[in-house]
Amino acid sequence: MSDAQTTPGSRSVSLPDLTPLPGKQTGAEVTKLVGLMQRLLAPGGCPWDREQTLETLVPYLVEETYEVVDALAAGDADDHREELGDLLLQIAFQSELRFAEGKFGIDDVARGIVTKLVRRHPHVFGDVVAKDADAVLGNWAKLKAVEKAEKAARRKTETPGALDGIPKSAPALLRAARAGEKASAVGFDWADAKGPRAKVDEELRELDEAWARGDRDEMQRELGDALQALVSLARKLDLDAEQALRDSTDRFARRFRHIELALAAQGRAVSDAGADEQDRLWRDAKRREAKPEEAKPEEARPEEAKKVTGAR
């Protein structure tokens, strides 16, 4: 048995039986979160919650999203569960604020994503055959393009481009990667990784030329082009540029901390060490990473670290 579901401005979609599978959780507890949020926002509820607007909630939404990412990176399942709950709260919160405006509610949010996913998975819920993940992605891109065109026709606006929909507020590397993926999905891409690898060299040469001329505006543009080429290279090598830079920054932080602790144990600050000593300690940190069984540098006593770092 199936249900015909529609979302605002969309065509009807026949839904299959989506009753949760045996042995799986059902999502029943989510209704308690919705009820809790409604009570917090009701007269006599929480004064702070009742003062919030969609605009004031944006920083919390961003913060909670990054905290989910951090919990994933740390591999801590308890933290991951907790942070997902905080993110789910933001979804329930914003949905209730929109419901108060008469726009939509949490059920509309859930119904919309269910309808969209059924429509975009005809290889699961229809007769389309997809032999592998690449075929799924290709079909997904075609279906999404049709949806965009239909939405533009309904709104009597210009048909969106292939790159529309990428959040401009997304992290720059992630946004660049998504732009490359979407362009590739419609046939605009290098044949293999050699193309973007050559582009990296080209853009770095142009950056050097702009640097030599002292043209800072051009330097800024060429630096961006070089970074874009590196992101494209990562994509063609099936690497995650965002994760690669995150991991590199973590390594930098660990190695720098090694330098801080090694010098603090001597009652010195990083600025007290010359370039050669800093380089030696940096190489020592890299060696210790390669051989983690080696002893870590002695940490300074709290009072020494406080004196050296200027902490209050």
Side-chain angles (χ1 to χ4, degrees), residues 8 12 19 32 48 64 76 88 91 110 133 135 138 162 176 197 209-210 218 228 230 233 242 245 280 283 285 300:
S12 175
T19 302
K32 295 180 182 178
W48 185 88
E64 299 301 350
D76 189 314
L88 185 59
I91 296 171
R197 180 62 187 86
E209 292 168 359
E218 188 65 17
Q228 183 80 52
L230 280 170
L233 175 61
E242 181 79 17
L245 185 57
R280 177 181 61 77
R283 284 185 281 106

mmCIF file with all atom_site columns, all heavy atoms in Angstrom, residues 8 12 19 32 48 64 76 88 91 110 133 135 138 162 176 197 209-210 218 228 230 233 242 245 280 283 285 300:
data_model
loop_
_atom_site.group_PDB
_atom_site.id
_atom_site.type_symbol
_atom_site.label_atom_id
_atom_site.label_alt_id
_atom_site.label_comp_id
_atom_site.label_asym_id
_atom_site.label_entity_id
_atom_site.label_seq_id
_atom_site.pdbx_PDB_ins_code
_atom_site.Cartn_x
_atom_site.Cartn_y
_atom_site.Cartn_z
_atom_site.occupancy
_atom_site.B_iso_or_equiv
_atom_site.pdbx_formal_charge
_atom_site.auth_seq_id
_atom_site.auth_comp_id
_atom_site.auth_asym_id
_atom_site.auth_atom_id
_atom_site.pdbx_PDB_model_num
ATOM 1   N N   . PRO A 1 8   ? 4.900  21.524 -0.916  1.00 0.00 ? 8   PRO A N   1
ATOM 2   C CA  . PRO A 1 8   ? 4.514  22.779 -1.564  1.00 0.00 ? 8   PRO A CA  1
ATOM 3   C C   . PRO A 1 8   ? 5.200  22.977 -2.900  1.00 0.00 ? 8   PRO A C   1
ATOM 4   O O   . PRO A 1 8   ? 6.432  22.949 -2.986  1.00 0.00 ? 8   PRO A O   1
ATOM 5   C CB  . PRO A 1 8   ? 4.948  23.831 -0.530  1.00 0.00 ? 8   PRO A CB  1
ATOM 6   C CG  . PRO A 1 8   ? 4.844  23.112 0.778   1.00 0.00 ? 8   PRO A CG  1
ATOM 7   C CD  . PRO A 1 8   ? 5.274  21.700 0.494   1.00 0.00 ? 8   PRO A CD  1
ATOM 8   N N   . SER A 1 12  ? 2.729  15.280 -7.221  1.00 0.00 ? 12  SER A N   1
ATOM 9   C CA  . SER A 1 12  ? 2.424  14.172 -6.320  1.00 0.00 ? 12  SER A CA  1
ATOM 10  C C   . SER A 1 12  ? 3.403  13.023 -6.546  1.00 0.00 ? 12  SER A C   1
ATOM 11  O O   . SER A 1 12  ? 3.768  12.716 -7.684  1.00 0.00 ? 12  SER A O   1
ATOM 12  C CB  . SER A 1 12  ? 0.987  13.692 -6.548  1.00 0.00 ? 12  SER A CB  1
ATOM 13  O OG  . SER A 1 12  ? 0.705  12.558 -5.775  1.00 0.00 ? 12  SER A OG  1
ATOM 14  N N   . THR A 1 19  ? 7.236  1.902  6.741   1.00 0.00 ? 19  THR A N   1
ATOM 15  C CA  . THR A 1 19  ? 7.219  1.526  8.151   1.00 0.00 ? 19  THR A CA  1
ATOM 16  C C   . THR A 1 19  ? 8.626  1.102  8.556   1.00 0.00 ? 19  THR A C   1
ATOM 17  O O   . THR A 1 19  ? 9.271  0.342  7.821   1.00 0.00 ? 19  THR A O   1
ATOM 18  C CB  . THR A 1 19  ? 6.248  0.343  8.375   1.00 0.00 ? 19  THR A CB  1
ATOM 19  O OG1 . THR A 1 19  ? 4.951  0.726  7.931   1.00 0.00 ? 19  THR A OG1 1
ATOM 20  C CG2 . THR A 1 19  ? 6.214  -0.049 9.845   1.00 0.00 ? 19  THR A CG2 1
ATOM 21  N N   . LYS A 1 32  ? 8.664  13.536 21.139  1.00 0.00 ? 32  LYS A N   1
ATOM 22  C CA  . LYS A 1 32  ? 8.804  14.138 22.462  1.00 0.00 ? 32  LYS A CA  1
ATOM 23  C C   . LYS A 1 32  ? 9.625  15.426 22.386  1.00 0.00 ? 32  LYS A C   1
ATOM 24  O O   . LYS A 1 32  ? 9.358  16.390 23.107  1.00 0.00 ? 32  LYS A O   1
ATOM 25  C CB  . LYS A 1 32  ? 9.450  13.152 23.426  1.00 0.00 ? 32  LYS A CB  1
ATOM 26  C CG  . LYS A 1 32  ? 8.598  11.918 23.691  1.00 0.00 ? 32  LYS A CG  1
ATOM 27  C CD  . LYS A 1 32  ? 9.286  10.957 24.653  1.00 0.00 ? 32  LYS A CD  1
ATOM 28  C CE  . LYS A 1 32  ? 8.438  9.707  24.881  1.00 0.00 ? 32  LYS A CE  1
ATOM 29  N NZ  . LYS A 1 32  ? 9.116  8.739  25.771  1.00 0.00 ? 32  LYS A NZ  1
ATOM 30  N N   . TRP A 1 48  ? 13.976 32.802 27.373  1.00 0.00 ? 48  TRP A N   1
ATOM 31  C CA  . TRP A 1 48  ? 15.062 32.909 26.384  1.00 0.00 ? 48  TRP A CA  1
ATOM 32  C C   . TRP A 1 48  ? 14.619 32.333 25.046  1.00 0.00 ? 48  TRP A C   1
ATOM 33  O O   . TRP A 1 48  ? 14.808 32.952 23.998  1.00 0.00 ? 48  TRP A O   1
ATOM 34  C CB  . TRP A 1 48  ? 16.310 32.177 26.880  1.00 0.00 ? 48  TRP A CB  1
ATOM 35  C CG  . TRP A 1 48  ? 17.497 32.357 25.961  1.00 0.00 ? 48  TRP A CG  1
ATOM 36  C CD1 . TRP A 1 48  ? 18.423 33.362 25.985  1.00 0.00 ? 48  TRP A CD1 1
ATOM 37  C CD2 . TRP A 1 48  ? 17.857 31.509 24.852  1.00 0.00 ? 48  TRP A CD2 1
ATOM 38  N NE1 . TRP A 1 48  ? 19.341 33.205 24.964  1.00 0.00 ? 48  TRP A NE1 1
ATOM 39  C CE2 . TRP A 1 48  ? 19.010 32.066 24.254  1.00 0.00 ? 48  TRP A CE2 1
ATOM 40  C CE3 . TRP A 1 48  ? 17.314 30.346 24.303  1.00 0.00 ? 48  TRP A CE3 1
ATOM 41  C CZ2 . TRP A 1 48  ? 19.627 31.497 23.157  1.00 0.00 ? 48  TRP A CZ2 1
ATOM 42  C CZ3 . TRP A 1 48  ? 17.935 29.775 23.199  1.00 0.00 ? 48  TRP A CZ3 1
ATOM 43  C CH2 . TRP A 1 48  ? 19.069 30.348 22.632  1.00 0.00 ? 48  TRP A CH2 1
ATOM 44  N N   . GLU A 1 64  ? 26.579 24.088 16.229  1.00 0.00 ? 64  GLU A N   1
ATOM 45  C CA  . GLU A 1 64  ? 26.202 22.695 16.468  1.00 0.00 ? 64  GLU A CA  1
ATOM 46  C C   . GLU A 1 64  ? 26.631 21.801 15.313  1.00 0.00 ? 64  GLU A C   1
ATOM 47  O O   . GLU A 1 64  ? 27.017 20.647 15.520  1.00 0.00 ? 64  GLU A O   1
ATOM 48  C CB  . GLU A 1 64  ? 24.689 22.577 16.700  1.00 0.00 ? 64  GLU A CB  1
ATOM 49  C CG  . GLU A 1 64  ? 24.158 23.343 17.902  1.00 0.00 ? 64  GLU A CG  1
ATOM 50  C CD  . GLU A 1 64  ? 24.791 22.936 19.225  1.00 0.00 ? 64  GLU A CD  1
ATOM 51  O OE1 . GLU A 1 64  ? 25.514 21.912 19.257  1.00 0.00 ? 64  GLU A OE1 1
ATOM 52  O OE2 . GLU A 1 64  ? 24.576 23.642 20.214  1.00 0.00 ? 64  GLU A OE2 1
ATOM 53  N N   . ASP A 1 76  ? 34.235 9.658  19.053  1.00 0.00 ? 76  ASP A N   1
ATOM 54  C CA  . ASP A 1 76  ? 33.551 9.450  20.330  1.00 0.00 ? 76  ASP A CA  1
ATOM 55  C C   . ASP A 1 76  ? 32.046 9.304  20.064  1.00 0.00 ? 76  ASP A C   1
ATOM 56  O O   . ASP A 1 76  ? 31.360 10.275 19.758  1.00 0.00 ? 76  ASP A O   1
ATOM 57  C CB  . ASP A 1 76  ? 33.813 10.635 21.261  1.00 0.00 ? 76  ASP A CB  1
ATOM 58  C CG  . ASP A 1 76  ? 33.328 10.389 22.682  1.00 0.00 ? 76  ASP A CG  1
ATOM 59  O OD1 . ASP A 1 76  ? 32.194 9.895  22.830  1.00 0.00 ? 76  ASP A OD1 1
ATOM 60  O OD2 . ASP A 1 76  ? 34.072 10.713 23.631  1.00 0.00 ? 76  ASP A OD2 1
ATOM 61  N N   . LEU A 1 88  ? 19.572 18.323 16.061  1.00 0.00 ? 88  LEU A N   1
ATOM 62  C CA  . LEU A 1 88  ? 18.155 18.014 15.863  1.00 0.00 ? 88  LEU A CA  1
ATOM 63  C C   . LEU A 1 88  ? 17.274 19.043 16.569  1.00 0.00 ? 88  LEU A C   1
ATOM 64  O O   . LEU A 1 88  ? 16.207 19.413 16.060  1.00 0.00 ? 88  LEU A O   1
ATOM 65  C CB  . LEU A 1 88  ? 17.865 16.609 16.385  1.00 0.00 ? 88  LEU A CB  1
ATOM 66  C CG  . LEU A 1 88  ? 16.450 16.062 16.168  1.00 0.00 ? 88  LEU A CG  1
ATOM 67  C CD1 . LEU A 1 88  ? 16.116 16.034 14.675  1.00 0.00 ? 88  LEU A CD1 1
ATOM 68  C CD2 . LEU A 1 88  ? 16.337 14.661 16.767  1.00 0.00 ? 88  LEU A CD2 1
ATOM 69  N N   . ILE A 1 91  ? 16.717 21.964 14.360  1.00 0.00 ? 91  ILE A N   1
ATOM 70  C CA  . ILE A 1 91  ? 15.734 21.702 13.306  1.00 0.00 ? 91  ILE A CA  1
ATOM 71  C C   . ILE A 1 91  ? 14.320 21.828 13.866  1.00 0.00 ? 91  ILE A C   1
ATOM 72  O O   . ILE A 1 91  ? 13.442 22.458 13.258  1.00 0.00 ? 91  ILE A O   1
ATOM 73  C CB  . ILE A 1 91  ? 15.967 20.302 12.706  1.00 0.00 ? 91  ILE A CB  1
ATOM 74  C CG1 . ILE A 1 91  ? 17.333 20.257 12.017  1.00 0.00 ? 91  ILE A CG1 1
ATOM 75  C CG2 . ILE A 1 91  ? 14.851 19.940 11.725  1.00 0.00 ? 91  ILE A CG2 1
ATOM 76  C CD1 . ILE A 1 91  ? 17.760 18.874 11.579  1.00 0.00 ? 91  ILE A CD1 1
ATOM 77  N N   . ALA A 1 110 ? 9.818  16.785 7.391   1.00 0.00 ? 110 ALA A N   1
ATOM 78  C CA  . ALA A 1 110 ? 10.058 15.353 7.223   1.00 0.00 ? 110 ALA A CA  1
ATOM 79  C C   . ALA A 1 110 ? 9.406  14.834 5.948   1.00 0.00 ? 110 ALA A C   1
ATOM 80  O O   . ALA A 1 110 ? 10.001 14.055 5.187   1.00 0.00 ? 110 ALA A O   1
ATOM 81  C CB  . ALA A 1 110 ? 9.517  14.591 8.432   1.00 0.00 ? 110 ALA A CB  1
ATOM 82  N N   . ALA A 1 133 ? 27.416 2.865  -7.934  1.00 0.00 ? 133 ALA A N   1
ATOM 83  C CA  . ALA A 1 133 ? 27.240 4.180  -7.304  1.00 0.00 ? 133 ALA A CA  1
ATOM 84  C C   . ALA A 1 133 ? 27.363 5.310  -8.322  1.00 0.00 ? 133 ALA A C   1
ATOM 85  O O   . ALA A 1 133 ? 26.659 6.334  -8.211  1.00 0.00 ? 133 ALA A O   1
ATOM 86  C CB  . ALA A 1 133 ? 28.263 4.364  -6.183  1.00 0.00 ? 133 ALA A CB  1
ATOM 87  N N   . ALA A 1 135 ? 26.414 5.300  -11.414 1.00 0.00 ? 135 ALA A N   1
ATOM 88  C CA  . ALA A 1 135 ? 25.144 5.384  -12.134 1.00 0.00 ? 135 ALA A CA  1
ATOM 89  C C   . ALA A 1 135 ? 24.090 6.071  -11.274 1.00 0.00 ? 135 ALA A C   1
ATOM 90  O O   . ALA A 1 135 ? 23.275 6.857  -11.772 1.00 0.00 ? 135 ALA A O   1
ATOM 91  C CB  . ALA A 1 135 ? 24.680 3.991  -12.542 1.00 0.00 ? 135 ALA A CB  1
ATOM 92  N N   . GLY A 1 138 ? 24.811 9.808  -11.318 1.00 0.00 ? 138 GLY A N   1
ATOM 93  C CA  . GLY A 1 138 ? 24.449 10.395 -12.602 1.00 0.00 ? 138 GLY A CA  1
ATOM 94  C C   . GLY A 1 138 ? 22.950 10.592 -12.732 1.00 0.00 ? 138 GLY A C   1
ATOM 95  O O   . GLY A 1 138 ? 22.483 11.634 -13.192 1.00 0.00 ? 138 GLY A O   1
ATOM 96  N N   . ALA A 1 162 ? 23.853 24.809 -13.043 1.00 0.00 ? 162 ALA A N   1
ATOM 97  C CA  . ALA A 1 162 ? 24.286 23.559 -12.413 1.00 0.00 ? 162 ALA A CA  1
ATOM 98  C C   . ALA A 1 162 ? 24.913 23.790 -11.049 1.00 0.00 ? 162 ALA A C   1
ATOM 99  O O   . ALA A 1 162 ? 24.874 22.911 -10.182 1.00 0.00 ? 162 ALA A O   1
ATOM 100 C CB  . ALA A 1 162 ? 25.269 22.834 -13.329 1.00 0.00 ? 162 ALA A CB  1
ATOM 101 N N   . ALA A 1 176 ? 34.337 24.810 -3.037  1.00 0.00 ? 176 ALA A N   1
ATOM 102 C CA  . ALA A 1 176 ? 35.078 24.578 -4.277  1.00 0.00 ? 176 ALA A CA  1
ATOM 103 C C   . ALA A 1 176 ? 34.938 23.129 -4.741  1.00 0.00 ? 176 ALA A C   1
ATOM 104 O O   . ALA A 1 176 ? 34.775 22.856 -5.938  1.00 0.00 ? 176 ALA A O   1
ATOM 105 C CB  . ALA A 1 176 ? 36.557 24.920 -4.067  1.00 0.00 ? 176 ALA A CB  1
ATOM 106 N N   . ARG A 1 197 ? 46.565 18.685 -12.260 1.00 0.00 ? 197 ARG A N   1
ATOM 107 C CA  . ARG A 1 197 ? 47.954 18.744 -11.767 1.00 0.00 ? 197 ARG A CA  1
ATOM 108 C C   . ARG A 1 197 ? 48.769 19.752 -12.567 1.00 0.00 ? 197 ARG A C   1
ATOM 109 O O   . ARG A 1 197 ? 49.528 20.551 -11.994 1.00 0.00 ? 197 ARG A O   1
ATOM 110 C CB  . ARG A 1 197 ? 48.613 17.357 -11.854 1.00 0.00 ? 197 ARG A CB  1
ATOM 111 C CG  . ARG A 1 197 ? 50.059 17.341 -11.361 1.00 0.00 ? 197 ARG A CG  1
ATOM 112 C CD  . ARG A 1 197 ? 50.142 17.733 -9.897  1.00 0.00 ? 197 ARG A CD  1
ATOM 113 N NE  . ARG A 1 197 ? 51.506 17.878 -9.434  1.00 0.00 ? 197 ARG A NE  1
ATOM 114 C CZ  . ARG A 1 197 ? 52.232 18.977 -9.530  1.00 0.00 ? 197 ARG A CZ  1
ATOM 115 N NH1 . ARG A 1 197 ? 51.688 20.068 -10.114 1.00 0.00 ? 197 ARG A NH1 1
ATOM 116 N NH2 . ARG A 1 197 ? 53.460 19.033 -9.078  1.00 0.00 ? 197 ARG A NH2 1
ATOM 117 N N   . GLU A 1 209 ? 54.506 35.318 -10.900 1.00 0.00 ? 209 GLU A N   1
ATOM 118 C CA  . GLU A 1 209 ? 54.635 36.482 -11.776 1.00 0.00 ? 209 GLU A CA  1
ATOM 119 C C   . GLU A 1 209 ? 53.949 37.699 -11.168 1.00 0.00 ? 209 GLU A C   1
ATOM 120 O O   . GLU A 1 209 ? 54.488 38.818 -11.202 1.00 0.00 ? 209 GLU A O   1
ATOM 121 C CB  . GLU A 1 209 ? 54.040 36.152 -13.151 1.00 0.00 ? 209 GLU A CB  1
ATOM 122 C CG  . GLU A 1 209 ? 54.837 35.105 -13.928 1.00 0.00 ? 209 GLU A CG  1
ATOM 123 C CD  . GLU A 1 209 ? 54.081 34.582 -15.135 1.00 0.00 ? 209 GLU A CD  1
ATOM 124 O OE1 . GLU A 1 209 ? 52.925 35.037 -15.354 1.00 0.00 ? 209 GLU A OE1 1
ATOM 125 O OE2 . GLU A 1 209 ? 54.615 33.700 -15.847 1.00 0.00 ? 209 GLU A OE2 1
ATOM 126 N N   . ALA A 1 210 ? 52.772 37.498 -10.599 1.00 0.00 ? 210 ALA A N   1
ATOM 127 C CA  . ALA A 1 210 ? 52.060 38.606 -9.960  1.00 0.00 ? 210 ALA A CA  1
ATOM 128 C C   . ALA A 1 210 ? 52.816 39.097 -8.739  1.00 0.00 ? 210 ALA A C   1
ATOM 129 O O   . ALA A 1 210 ? 52.863 40.308 -8.463  1.00 0.00 ? 210 ALA A O   1
ATOM 130 C CB  . ALA A 1 210 ? 50.646 38.149 -9.564  1.00 0.00 ? 210 ALA A CB  1
ATOM 131 N N   . GLU A 1 218 ? 46.153 40.889 -8.176  1.00 0.00 ? 218 GLU A N   1
ATOM 132 C CA  . GLU A 1 218 ? 46.369 39.735 -9.041  1.00 0.00 ? 218 GLU A CA  1
ATOM 133 C C   . GLU A 1 218 ? 46.898 38.544 -8.234  1.00 0.00 ? 218 GLU A C   1
ATOM 134 O O   . GLU A 1 218 ? 46.539 37.387 -8.506  1.00 0.00 ? 218 GLU A O   1
ATOM 135 C CB  . GLU A 1 218 ? 47.352 40.087 -10.162 1.00 0.00 ? 218 GLU A CB  1
ATOM 136 C CG  . GLU A 1 218 ? 47.506 39.012 -11.219 1.00 0.00 ? 218 GLU A CG  1
ATOM 137 C CD  . GLU A 1 218 ? 46.223 38.767 -12.019 1.00 0.00 ? 218 GLU A CD  1
ATOM 138 O OE1 . GLU A 1 218 ? 45.330 39.631 -11.984 1.00 0.00 ? 218 GLU A OE1 1
ATOM 139 O OE2 . GLU A 1 218 ? 46.136 37.707 -12.666 1.00 0.00 ? 218 GLU A OE2 1
ATOM 140 N N   . GLN A 1 228 ? 41.890 26.483 -6.085  1.00 0.00 ? 228 GLN A N   1
ATOM 141 C CA  . GLN A 1 228 ? 40.818 25.806 -6.823  1.00 0.00 ? 228 GLN A CA  1
ATOM 142 C C   . GLN A 1 228 ? 41.379 24.617 -7.600  1.00 0.00 ? 228 GLN A C   1
ATOM 143 O O   . GLN A 1 228 ? 40.763 23.533 -7.640  1.00 0.00 ? 228 GLN A O   1
ATOM 144 C CB  . GLN A 1 228 ? 40.157 26.787 -7.785  1.00 0.00 ? 228 GLN A CB  1
ATOM 145 C CG  . GLN A 1 228 ? 38.979 26.210 -8.569  1.00 0.00 ? 228 GLN A CG  1
ATOM 146 C CD  . GLN A 1 228 ? 37.702 26.162 -7.763  1.00 0.00 ? 228 GLN A CD  1
ATOM 147 O OE1 . GLN A 1 228 ? 37.299 27.175 -7.195  1.00 0.00 ? 228 GLN A OE1 1
ATOM 148 N NE2 . GLN A 1 228 ? 37.067 25.009 -7.696  1.00 0.00 ? 228 GLN A NE2 1
ATOM 149 N N   . LEU A 1 230 ? 44.057 22.884 -6.855  1.00 0.00 ? 230 LEU A N   1
ATOM 150 C CA  . LEU A 1 230 ? 44.410 21.834 -5.897  1.00 0.00 ? 230 LEU A CA  1
ATOM 151 C C   . LEU A 1 230 ? 43.177 21.054 -5.456  1.00 0.00 ? 230 LEU A C   1
ATOM 152 O O   . LEU A 1 230 ? 43.224 19.827 -5.290  1.00 0.00 ? 230 LEU A O   1
ATOM 153 C CB  . LEU A 1 230 ? 45.104 22.450 -4.680  1.00 0.00 ? 230 LEU A CB  1
ATOM 154 C CG  . LEU A 1 230 ? 46.584 22.794 -4.852  1.00 0.00 ? 230 LEU A CG  1
ATOM 155 C CD1 . LEU A 1 230 ? 47.073 23.625 -3.668  1.00 0.00 ? 230 LEU A CD1 1
ATOM 156 C CD2 . LEU A 1 230 ? 47.419 21.516 -4.976  1.00 0.00 ? 230 LEU A CD2 1
ATOM 157 N N   . LEU A 1 233 ? 42.352 18.750 -8.214  1.00 0.00 ? 233 LEU A N   1
ATOM 158 C CA  . LEU A 1 233 ? 43.289 17.629 -8.214  1.00 0.00 ? 233 LEU A CA  1
ATOM 159 C C   . LEU A 1 233 ? 42.886 16.609 -7.157  1.00 0.00 ? 233 LEU A C   1
ATOM 160 O O   . LEU A 1 233 ? 42.896 15.396 -7.410  1.00 0.00 ? 233 LEU A O   1
ATOM 161 C CB  . LEU A 1 233 ? 44.712 18.135 -7.960  1.00 0.00 ? 233 LEU A CB  1
ATOM 162 C CG  . LEU A 1 233 ? 45.801 17.052 -7.822  1.00 0.00 ? 233 LEU A CG  1
ATOM 163 C CD1 . LEU A 1 233 ? 45.899 16.232 -9.104  1.00 0.00 ? 233 LEU A CD1 1
ATOM 164 C CD2 . LEU A 1 233 ? 47.142 17.704 -7.485  1.00 0.00 ? 233 LEU A CD2 1
ATOM 165 N N   . GLU A 1 242 ? 39.008 19.140 1.987   1.00 0.00 ? 242 GLU A N   1
ATOM 166 C CA  . GLU A 1 242 ? 38.638 19.715 3.281   1.00 0.00 ? 242 GLU A CA  1
ATOM 167 C C   . GLU A 1 242 ? 39.239 18.904 4.428   1.00 0.00 ? 242 GLU A C   1
ATOM 168 O O   . GLU A 1 242 ? 39.834 19.448 5.358   1.00 0.00 ? 242 GLU A O   1
ATOM 169 C CB  . GLU A 1 242 ? 37.111 19.748 3.408   1.00 0.00 ? 242 GLU A CB  1
ATOM 170 C CG  . GLU A 1 242 ? 36.597 20.357 4.699   1.00 0.00 ? 242 GLU A CG  1
ATOM 171 C CD  . GLU A 1 242 ? 36.609 21.868 4.708   1.00 0.00 ? 242 GLU A CD  1
ATOM 172 O OE1 . GLU A 1 242 ? 36.702 22.476 3.623   1.00 0.00 ? 242 GLU A OE1 1
ATOM 173 O OE2 . GLU A 1 242 ? 36.540 22.449 5.811   1.00 0.00 ? 242 GLU A OE2 1
ATOM 174 N N   . LEU A 1 245 ? 43.143 19.244 4.608   1.00 0.00 ? 245 LEU A N   1
ATOM 175 C CA  . LEU A 1 245 ? 43.611 20.470 5.251   1.00 0.00 ? 245 LEU A CA  1
ATOM 176 C C   . LEU A 1 245 ? 43.323 20.431 6.747   1.00 0.00 ? 245 LEU A C   1
ATOM 177 O O   . LEU A 1 245 ? 44.130 20.911 7.558   1.00 0.00 ? 245 LEU A O   1
ATOM 178 C CB  . LEU A 1 245 ? 42.954 21.692 4.612   1.00 0.00 ? 245 LEU A CB  1
ATOM 179 C CG  . LEU A 1 245 ? 43.450 23.047 5.125   1.00 0.00 ? 245 LEU A CG  1
ATOM 180 C CD1 . LEU A 1 245 ? 44.962 23.190 4.961   1.00 0.00 ? 245 LEU A CD1 1
ATOM 181 C CD2 . LEU A 1 245 ? 42.725 24.190 4.418   1.00 0.00 ? 245 LEU A CD2 1
ATOM 182 N N   . ARG A 1 280 ? 64.708 22.490 14.595  1.00 0.00 ? 280 ARG A N   1
ATOM 183 C CA  . ARG A 1 280 ? 65.135 21.216 15.188  1.00 0.00 ? 280 ARG A CA  1
ATOM 184 C C   . ARG A 1 280 ? 64.001 20.599 15.987  1.00 0.00 ? 280 ARG A C   1
ATOM 185 O O   . ARG A 1 280 ? 63.735 19.393 15.893  1.00 0.00 ? 280 ARG A O   1
ATOM 186 C CB  . ARG A 1 280 ? 66.359 21.432 16.068  1.00 0.00 ? 280 ARG A CB  1
ATOM 187 C CG  . ARG A 1 280 ? 66.822 20.160 16.787  1.00 0.00 ? 280 ARG A CG  1
ATOM 188 C CD  . ARG A 1 280 ? 68.036 20.434 17.664  1.00 0.00 ? 280 ARG A CD  1
ATOM 189 N NE  . ARG A 1 280 ? 67.756 21.426 18.712  1.00 0.00 ? 280 ARG A NE  1
ATOM 190 C CZ  . ARG A 1 280 ? 67.069 21.147 19.822  1.00 0.00 ? 280 ARG A CZ  1
ATOM 191 N NH1 . ARG A 1 280 ? 66.572 19.927 20.027  1.00 0.00 ? 280 ARG A NH1 1
ATOM 192 N NH2 . ARG A 1 280 ? 66.874 22.083 20.732  1.00 0.00 ? 280 ARG A NH2 1
ATOM 193 N N   . ARG A 1 283 ? 61.343 19.224 13.648  1.00 0.00 ? 283 ARG A N   1
ATOM 194 C CA  . ARG A 1 283 ? 61.725 17.932 13.084  1.00 0.00 ? 283 ARG A CA  1
ATOM 195 C C   . ARG A 1 283 ? 61.646 16.838 14.137  1.00 0.00 ? 283 ARG A C   1
ATOM 196 O O   . ARG A 1 283 ? 61.307 15.684 13.838  1.00 0.00 ? 283 ARG A O   1
ATOM 197 C CB  . ARG A 1 283 ? 63.125 18.019 12.491  1.00 0.00 ? 283 ARG A CB  1
ATOM 198 C CG  . ARG A 1 283 ? 63.169 18.760 11.147  1.00 0.00 ? 283 ARG A CG  1
ATOM 199 C CD  . ARG A 1 283 ? 64.516 18.773 10.478  1.00 0.00 ? 283 ARG A CD  1
ATOM 200 N NE  . ARG A 1 283 ? 65.401 19.772 11.073  1.00 0.00 ? 283 ARG A NE  1
ATOM 201 C CZ  . ARG A 1 283 ? 66.415 19.501 11.858  1.00 0.00 ? 283 ARG A CZ  1
ATOM 202 N NH1 . ARG A 1 283 ? 66.689 18.246 12.192  1.00 0.00 ? 283 ARG A NH1 1
ATOM 203 N NH2 . ARG A 1 283 ? 67.186 20.470 12.335  1.00 0.00 ? 283 ARG A NH2 1
ATOM 204 N N   . ALA A 1 285 ? 59.441 16.783 16.544  1.00 0.00 ? 285 ALA A N   1
ATOM 205 C CA  . ALA A 1 285 ? 58.012 16.483 16.664  1.00 0.00 ? 285 ALA A CA  1
ATOM 206 C C   . ALA A 1 285 ? 57.562 15.545 15.549  1.00 0.00 ? 285 ALA A C   1
ATOM 207 O O   . ALA A 1 285 ? 56.789 14.599 15.791  1.00 0.00 ? 285 ALA A O   1
ATOM 208 C CB  . ALA A 1 285 ? 57.205 17.776 16.631  1.00 0.00 ? 285 ALA A CB  1
ATOM 209 N N   . ALA A 1 300 ? 55.838 21.482 31.126  1.00 0.00 ? 300 ALA A N   1
ATOM 210 C CA  . ALA A 1 300 ? 56.231 22.416 32.170  1.00 0.00 ? 300 ALA A CA  1
ATOM 211 C C   . ALA A 1 300 ? 55.238 22.354 33.317  1.00 0.00 ? 300 ALA A C   1
ATOM 212 O O   . ALA A 1 300 ? 54.078 22.028 33.137  1.00 0.00 ? 300 ALA A O   1
ATOM 213 C CB  . ALA A 1 300 ? 56.259 23.836 31.593  1.00 0.00 ? 300 ALA A CB  1
#
